Amino acid sequence: MAALKHRRTALERVEKFLSEIYFTDCNLRGRLFGDSCPPALLSCFQTPQRIQYDEAIRQEFQPAKVGDSFGPTWETCWFKVELSIPPAWAGREVHFVWESDGEGMVWRDSQPVQGLTKEGEKTSYILTSSLKKSEPHSLTLYVELACNGLFGAGKGSMIAPPDPDRRFTLSKAELVVFNRNVYELLVDLEILLDMAKLLGEEDQRSFQALYTANQMVNVCDVMDPSTFPAARDLAAAIFSQRNGESQHTIHAMGHCHIDSAWLWPYEETIRKCARSWVSVIRLMESNPELTFTCSQAQQFEWVRSWYPGLYAQIQRFVAKGQFIPVGGTWVEMDGNLPSGESMVRQFLQGQRFFQEQFGQMCSEFWLPDTFGYSAQLPQLMRGCGIRRFLTQKLSWNLVNTFPHHTFFWEGIDGSRVLTHFPPGDSYGMHGRVEEMLKTVKNNKDKGRVNNSAFLFGFGDGGGGPTQKMLDRMKRMSDTDGLPRVQISTPDRLFSVLEKESSQLCTWVGELFLELHNGTYTTQAQIKKENRECERILHDVEVLSTLAVARDSTFRYPASQLQRLWRLLLLNQFHDVLPGSCIQLVVADALQYYAEIRRAGAELQEEAVQSLCGDLLQPEAASTESTLVLNTLPWERTEVISRTEPARAKTLALVTVPSMGYAVVQEPLVPPQPVMVRKEEDGSVVMENGVIAVHLDVMGRLTSLRLVDSERKPVVTLLRPLEITLAGGLRGSVSFSLQVGASSTVTQEITLDASCPYLRFLTQVEWREAHKFLKVEFPVQVRSMNATYEIQFGHLQRPTHWNTSWDWARFEVWAHKWLDLSEHGFGVAVLNDCKYGASARGNVLSLSLLRAPKSPDATADIAHHRFTYAVMPHQGSFQDAGVIQHAYNLNFPLHVVPAGSAQCLAWSSFSVSSPAVVLEALKQAEDRADAVVARLYEAHGSTVVAWLQTSLPVKEAMLCDLLERPVARGCLPLELRGVRLSFTPFRLLSVLLVLGR
């Protein structure tokens, strides 16, 4: 006769039967492992270096034992483990169990075979599933132990700066008999228990699961394995009860997000990749249905270089369709701060790598963990053959819940991509019932789509999927009360979503993350170097391309440029460029930037020598004229500083044609010289015929106006000042002030002849903690929206806080400029290396420096140099040339001493419309006789533009961002050049084949 069951009592009974803490002497959990024995011999050696296996095994090993501690942080311990399996274990499943702090890798026969980490639930290496006489009973393993955890070594909390003195303890190293039948029964009961708890008392299925689990406890004698099959049959009866046809389908994919650097340095990431991926390979060998998605070409390249044996195994499983490269980019880059051209190169380098190594390109962009997503990304994806996008980071929003999980995302040019956020709001699921139910319940697009992604595996610091995760999901593949779960692929998921997409909504514009706004400003030196190195590589490519076209003996430095680009792209990883990394990573990044600057300067000098060699004067003492090169696609008239024969520095006003050069002997006379005048009250007035400036005795900029306008946008700055240049071609004043307890700011405010903006050359000695340095410009302009430059275009954001969506954007990101305009008048703020900005009401703000203390306690504590400028203008910012002037600020003219030879100015490229910017000029990847010119529409207009060139072009065609010619893309060569049609913010790449 059935007994009355009390729900809470039954739950408690099953919980204790599975507990890892209570009653393990008599419950099922306590029977998971059988006999055990220690290693025959255990020894180790320790090194501060991350060395290769072949070098490690030649070292002198010292005796070690369980309980020993090792360290400090970032050291590496290599253990030699000599094992002898007892013959009595014949027919049993035997594991080598290793439990320690830190992250381990098992090496066997010179190859990595298994990653080990307690945090990633990987503490054993399976030696055999059933010990046979023919198998070796004595063997030697090596364990490489990194003295850092899955999430680094934060002192006191995960994101605190690393504890340099942490010790890492070995707590277990032994051979054990693994009772597979106990394990399978445990997984059955865990799932039934979760169903009972999570489906709720109002659900019939909850009670069925609970009573089945209770009955399994009844029939199961933990001392008698012969009772286990009957218990398992009870579970199977529940799991085999099928769903209805309308049930939601979950597409489960193995995943292991590995930050290329974050709370650990780049070098440790290489080992994290190996530890994680070799574990995946072991799982695939025993689970042929497992699929694993893996992004970041850089990480594949690391493993290819450091672990060739493992890489060969990965290639085999890629060919089988189980190990799936995704994303198409070099790294999972920041989605806000890299320039448009840098983002193009992420895809160009990534997609070409995947094609070369695996014979396939990625069809989906994969960026689950970054701090926001530029509104130009849809166009960049489409230009690289990608129409699908997966992320989940917006689930972290601090204020507003994003309204969709599956939708079309439309960029500022109108390009659309099918976008999916896994509704479980995580890229590191564990295959639990709770996560499956959340995925269904949380889905914001019920009724529109009935399929969703489920990415399972430990992530961020690596780890990846485990066998238990797979075994849980096998039981939930089609079980009544739970969503269907199938091991799937990105292509299978997105193909189904495309079929269901007719009712999907569309989100237009940026995907703004309402969190981590400080990442637009932190680690200012990294951001400055990023902007500078983007400029260097741009200029080297332009000058090298022109040198190739004019000098048949010059060789385009393709391999050198690829190496430098890859260093820059690596540093654009979403925890490096945003500055959310530890100090060790900052040091690595700055070293890479220094290499880009060093090698870039050499390549630039070689290109200039080839391009202009007959104009250059090797004897500096006899210099009589100056060669000035312009790498931007418009004519520029600017004040330069040049060296006279007596080595004195002088100023000169010069005009240089677009993407070309001019030899300057007699400088231009400005239409109106700069006037600098000190008033009786000690204030200073500067004027150049374009703008007029008034600074009071304390250095406050009290008036900045257009000479032909009465408008007075007001800005505020402090400190006594003095005149440093009295006028003519340049006027300037300088001052210093103290900010905070121990920091100083020194500024030189400069006005050049004919220049429409006022520059602030700024030096800061920054010694603050938890402080934020901003500059604000209160201006006499009223507008509901301000405009901010983004990659290949701009967008508007509100200047008011009407809604929660508005005030959540209290701090936003921009690139080289932001502008506040009303009809007929506006003010722009330009910068050469800053990204954080805001506009509230009539106040334009630029974020200069921060002083956070985690995860880098020394962040930004340094000497800083940067420049920003303020530019009042009549008309729209487009008509006033704000875009071009921001480029000019960021791409200074190149000034080179030249001989006395007469030379006409030369221009290689120009564009007929100021709305169109020629952003990049480079040699084609696969054709040494072709050049790629990349242009974009910058005003937000529909326009026809002519690309004009003096190079010997014999053929022109449109190509995509991967430089593949597009269908019907041939362009006729006409007298005016190549005719190009643009819609707002459209990006075009033109392949120009050169004749000789």
Side-chain angles (χ1 to χ4, degrees):
M1 185 177 73
L4 182 66
K5 297 178 180 67
H6 182 264
R7 181 178 172 86
R8 180 58 249 167
T9 302
L11 285 170
E12 187 81 11
R13 183 176 187 234
V14 177
E15 286 172 346
K16 294 299 184 285
F17 194 63
L18 306 178
S19 176
E20 296 178 353
I21 301 171
Y22 303 108
F23 310 117
T24 54
D25 58 329
C26 59
N27 72 2
L28 185 63
R29 180 78 60 183
R31 299 297 180 272
L32 184 58
F33 295 106
D35 293 339
S36 66
C37 73
L41 194 64
L42 182 66
S43 56
C44 82
F45 93 94
Q46 187 169 317
T47 171
Q49 306 299 321
R50 298 176 178 90
I51 62 176
Q52 300 275 29
Y53 171 84
D54 290 341
E55 181 182 352
I57 62 172
R58 296 197 301 267
Q59 305 304 310
E60 185 176 337
F61 286 73
Q62 302 296 325
K65 64 183 184 300
V66 171
D68 286 350
S69 292
F70 307 90
T73 308
W74 310 124
E75 294 268 310
T76 298
C77 299
W78 283 84
F79 293 86
K80 185 176 183 180
V81 187
E82 298 179 40
L83 302 171
S84 181
I85 305 174
W89 292 3
R92 308 301 300 273
E93 181 170 340
V94 181
H95 291 194
F96 168 59
V97 172
W98 178 280
E99 292 185 13
S100 68
D101 304 321
E103 294 185 84
M105 169 79 92
V106 180
W107 292 78
R108 183 176 184 179
D109 300 329
S110 305
Q111 291 298 320
V113 292
Q114 178 65 53
L116 299 171
T117 166
K118 284 196 295 186
E119 296 162 290
E121 296 181 5
K122 293 183 179 69
T123 56
S124 66
Y125 167 53
I126 301 175
L127 294 172
T128 176
S129 59
S130 178
L131 183 64
K132 301 178 181 63
K133 282 188 178 180
S134 59
E135 291 183 288
H137 285 48
S138 295
L139 67 156
T140 298
L141 304 177
Y142 288 88
V143 177
E144 176 189 14
L145 183 68
C147 291
N148 52 264
L150 209 56
F151 292 92
K155 188 172 186 176
S157 71
M158 184 179 77
I159 64 165
D163 180 355
D165 300 315
R166 181 177 293 187
R167 305 292 294 178
F168 296 78
T169 301
L170 173 61
S171 51
K172 185 178 289 187
E174 61 187 14
L175 289 170
V176 299
V177 172
F178 182 78
N179 293 320
R180 178 68 58 179
N181 52 2
V182 172
Y183 165 82
E184 299 289 356
L185 194 53
L186 284 169
V187 177
D188 288 344
L189 283 163
E190 285 172 0
I191 291 201
L192 290 171
L193 181 61
D194 283 347
M195 289 175 66
K197 288 179 176 179
L198 298 166
L199 291 176
E201 293 188 44
E202 69 282 357
D203 194 314
Q204 164 78 3
R205 192 71 169 149
S206 166
F207 285 91
Q208 291 175 350
L210 176 60
Y211 293 165
T212 299
N214 186 70
Q215 183 63 14
M216 290 170 68
V217 176
N218 289 342
V219 303
C220 180
D221 179 352
V222 298
M223 303 301 292
D224 182 4
S226 68
T227 63
F228 294 175
R232 292 215 63 205
D233 288 344
L234 290 170
I238 284 282
F239 297 142
S240 63
Q241 291 176 348
R242 304 301 179 206
N243 269 303
E245 289 189 9
S246 66
Q247 184 57 272
H248 188 86
T249 299
I250 285 175
H251 293 251
M253 296 167 247
H255 189 242
C256 179
H257 177 64
I258 302 178
D259 287 317
S260 290
W262 177 31
L263 304 175
W264 51 87
Y266 284 128
E267 262 200 3
E268 191 56 44
T269 306
I270 300 171
R271 300 200 294 188
K272 284 177 176 287
C273 292
R275 289 189 287 259
S276 302
W277 296 358
V278 76
S279 300
V280 169
I281 296 298
R282 295 289 84 77
L283 285 175
M284 287 179 173
E285 290 170 345
S286 54
N287 300 270
E289 77 282 2
L290 171 62
T291 60
F292 178 74
T293 57
C294 192
S295 66
Q296 307 195 71
Q298 171 70 84
Q299 295 183 1
F300 283 91
E301 174 61 20
W302 278 334
V303 170
R304 187 178 76 88
S305 300
W306 285 60
Y307 302 91
L310 170 58
Y311 191 73
Q313 296 175 63
I314 290 170
Q315 286 180 305
R316 288 198 294 273
F317 281 99
V318 170
K320 290 181 179 181
Q322 288 181 259
F323 203 109
I324 305 170
V326 293
T329 51
W330 190 247
V331 297
E332 289 187 10
M333 71 281 195
D334 179 69
N336 298 327
L337 308 187
S339 70
E341 188 60 27
S342 290
M343 285 190 167
V344 170
R345 301 309 174 93
Q346 287 283 355
F347 286 103
L348 181 66
Q349 291 294 328
Q351 289 284 56
R352 286 177 63 84
F353 178 89
F354 290 130
Q355 180 66 48
E356 290 166 3
Q357 294 296 314
F358 306 115
Q360 63 188 57
M361 290 191 184
C362 304
S363 60
E364 59 289 304
F365 182 35
W366 199 272
L367 192 60
D369 180 29
T370 191
F371 305 135
Y373 305 87
S374 166
Q376 257 307 11
L377 276 169
Q379 181 177 196
L380 300 183
M381 288 183 234
R382 293 293 293 265
C384 297
I386 291 173
R387 295 168 178 263
R388 302 159 168 179
F389 176 43
L390 182 141
T391 185
Q392 65 82 51
K393 192 69 172 192
L394 261 63
S395 66
W396 290 37
N397 270 7
L398 201 60
V399 181
N400 298 285
T401 300
F402 194 78
H404 304 294
H405 281 101
T406 307
F407 58 99
F408 285 106
W409 180 23
E410 184 175 305
I412 57 173
D413 75 309
S415 297
R416 294 205 314 172
V417 290
L418 178 59
T419 301
H420 182 67
F421 299 174
D425 291 343
S426 172
Y427 50 72
M429 296 293 203
H430 294 171
R432 298 184 182 279
V433 171
E434 179 181 14
E435 297 164 342
M436 303 300 175
L437 295 175
K438 179 183 179 181
T439 294
V440 176
K441 181 179 179 181
N442 199 42
N443 180 21
K444 300 288 192 303
D445 298 281
K446 297 182 184 75
R448 289 189 279 265
V449 292
N450 205 24
N451 291 262
S452 61
F454 185 92
L455 308 180
F456 64 94
F458 288 94
D460 290 331
T466 66
Q467 184 65 53
K468 180 172 276 192
M469 296 175 190
L470 278 166
D471 291 335
R472 289 170 184 147
M473 289 184 291
K474 287 174 185 176
R475 290 157 171 79
M476 292 185 272
S477 61
D478 192 4
T479 296
D480 187 25
L482 300 176
R484 281 193 188 85
V485 181
Q486 58 180 235
I487 301 296
S488 188
T489 67
D491 182 65
R492 205 176 306 156
L493 166 70
F494 277 105
S495 295
V496 173
L497 293 177
E498 285 166 352
K499 292 176 182 176
E500 296 180 329
S501 66
S502 61
Q503 300 300 311
L504 290 180
C505 300
T506 298
W507 182 271
V508 180
E510 67 182 328
L511 294 174
F512 187 87
L513 178 66
E514 299 171 356
L515 192 68
H516 298 319
N517 309 64
T519 59
Y520 314 146
T521 305
T522 301
Q523 298 291 7
Q525 192 63 28
I526 282 181
K527 291 171 171 62
K528 178 184 172 73
E529 294 280 1
N530 174 74
R531 184 82 64 86
E532 174 74 3
C533 289
E534 287 176 335
R535 179 196 65 76
I536 288 169
L537 294 182
H538 168 276
D539 288 357
V540 169
E541 287 185 335
V542 168
L543 295 169
S544 298
T545 302
L546 300 184
V548 167
R550 297 193 71 189
D551 179 359
S552 60
T553 65
F554 182 78
R555 297 295 297 271
Y556 188 86
S559 60
Q560 298 99 309
L561 279 167
Q562 181 187 73
R563 181 179 73 88
L564 300 181
W565 266 112
R566 286 182 171 182
L567 286 178
L568 179 63
L569 299 178
L570 172 58
N571 276 351
Q572 290 176 344
F573 180 75
H574 63 251
D575 280 309
V576 180
L577 178 54
S580 50
C581 52
I582 62 172
Q583 197 278 329
L584 278 175
V585 178
V586 175
D588 285 345
L590 294 179
Q591 184 178 335
Y592 291 161
Y593 289 130
E595 171 60 14
I596 295 169
R597 282 191 280 106
R598 184 201 63 78
E602 290 181 1
L603 295 177
Q604 180 175 298
E605 183 177 354
E606 291 169 8
V608 171
Q609 284 286 345
S610 176
L611 182 63
C612 312
D614 54 338
L615 301 175
L616 301 179
Q617 176 63 46
E619 296 298 329
S622 63
T623 297
E624 296 183 15
S625 57
T626 303
L627 174 68
V628 186
L629 298 106
N630 175 18
T631 59
L632 293 178
W634 46 77
E635 182 181 273
R636 297 164 67 177
T637 298
E638 295 180 18
V639 175
I640 62 165
S641 174
R642 62 176 183 165
T643 304
E644 292 292 327
R647 298 190 180 274
K649 290 282 188 181
T650 62
L651 301 177
L653 182 66
V654 301
T655 295
V656 192
S658 59
M659 276 198 179
Y661 57 76
V663 174
V664 178
Q665 288 182 315
E666 295 298 325
L668 302 175
V669 177
Q672 180 174 327
V674 179
M675 181 274 292
V676 182
R677 183 178 72 252
K678 197 162 192 175
E679 305 284 51
E680 290 184 2
D681 62 359
S683 62
V684 173
V685 174
M686 292 195 291
E687 189 172 323
N688 68 354
V690 183
I691 56 177
V693 178
H694 185 269
L695 299 121
D696 71 10
V697 290
M698 296 299 292
R700 286 186 291 256
L701 184 54
T702 57
S703 172
L704 172 63
R705 64 178 178 85
L706 292 166
V707 169
D708 54 359
S709 169
E710 294 305 313
R711 304 293 296 260
K712 295 183 180 179
V714 177
V715 297
T716 56
L717 283 169
L718 302 176
R719 203 60 176 172
L721 73 162
E722 60 181 16
I723 295 173
T724 48
L725 282 175
L729 291 178
R730 175 172 293 165
S732 65
V733 299
S734 67
F735 63 92
S736 298
L737 61 139
Q738 181 172 325
V739 293
S742 53
S743 298
T744 59
V745 175
T746 300
Q747 284 197 316
E748 184 176 12
I749 304 176
T750 299
L751 182 62
D752 279 356
S754 303
C755 183
Y757 54 79
L758 185 68
R759 284 182 297 154
F760 296 79
L761 285 70
T762 309
Q763 297 187 55
V764 183
E765 196 67 43
W766 189 241
R767 294 286 181 267
E768 300 303 309
H770 305 294
K771 295 289 194 303
F772 208 141
L773 183 66
K774 291 173 175 262
V775 61
E776 292 186 344
F777 297 90
V779 297
Q780 291 185 1
V781 176
R782 179 171 178 79
S783 178
M784 298 284 279
N785 295 286
T787 308
Y788 303 80
E789 187 194 36
I790 67 168
Q791 297 85 356
F792 299 126
H794 58 263
L795 50 74
Q796 292 190 328
R797 300 181 179 114
T799 58
H800 55 76
W801 289 358
N802 280 358
T803 71
S804 59
W805 293 89
D806 298 331
W807 63 258
R809 288 183 282 184
F810 60 89
E811 172 89 350
V812 297
W813 61 272
H815 281 199
K816 297 184 289 293
W817 58 268
L818 63 150
D819 182 86
L820 186 66
S821 290
E822 58 190 51
H823 180 68
F825 182 80
V827 178
V829 175
L830 323 177
N831 75 84
D832 71 349
C833 62
K834 299 302 173 185
Y835 296 92
S838 63
R840 188 178 180 204
N842 70 322
V843 178
L844 292 171
S845 176
L846 190 66
S847 297
L848 304 178
L849 293 169
R850 290 186 73 223
K853 294 300 165 190
S854 289
D856 178 6
T858 67
D860 289 326
I861 305 302
H863 184 79
H864 299 268
R865 294 172 179 264
F866 50 86
T867 298
Y868 55 87
V870 59
M871 176 179 167
H873 59 83
Q874 289 186 319
S876 67
F877 70 84
Q878 293 98 327
D879 293 340
V882 165
I883 297 167
Q884 285 79 4
H885 286 295
Y887 271 95
N888 293 350
L889 183 70
N890 280 267
F891 290 79
L893 295 168
H894 296 280
V895 180
V896 183
S900 58
Q902 294 289 331
C903 175
L904 295 176
W906 177 75
S907 170
S908 62
F909 282 89
S910 62
V911 184
S912 64
S913 170
V916 175
V917 175
L918 173 51
E919 175 72 16
L921 186 68
K922 64 183 288 289
Q923 187 180 79
E925 293 290 317
D926 298 317
R927 295 191 62 171
D929 66 338
V931 168
V932 173
R934 189 151 20 254
L935 307 95
Y936 73 97
E937 196 290 316
H939 285 183
S941 62
T942 298
V943 66
V944 171
W946 292 87
L947 175 63
Q948 296 140 341
T949 180
S950 59
L951 302 190
V953 174
K954 67 178 183 180
E955 188 180 355
M957 66 195 81
L958 292 175
C959 61
D960 66 8
L961 296 178
L962 302 181
E963 303 182 11
R964 301 173 297 188
V966 302
R968 297 182 298 278
C970 288
L971 299 168
L973 300 176
E974 303 184 42
L975 192 60
R976 295 184 62 188
V978 178
R979 186 181 189 274
L980 300 172
S981 297
F982 291 87
T983 50
F985 307 118
R986 187 183 184 194
L987 182 61
L988 289 180
S989 296
V990 183
L991 191 70
L992 302 170
V993 182
L994 303 181
R996 288 294 182 191

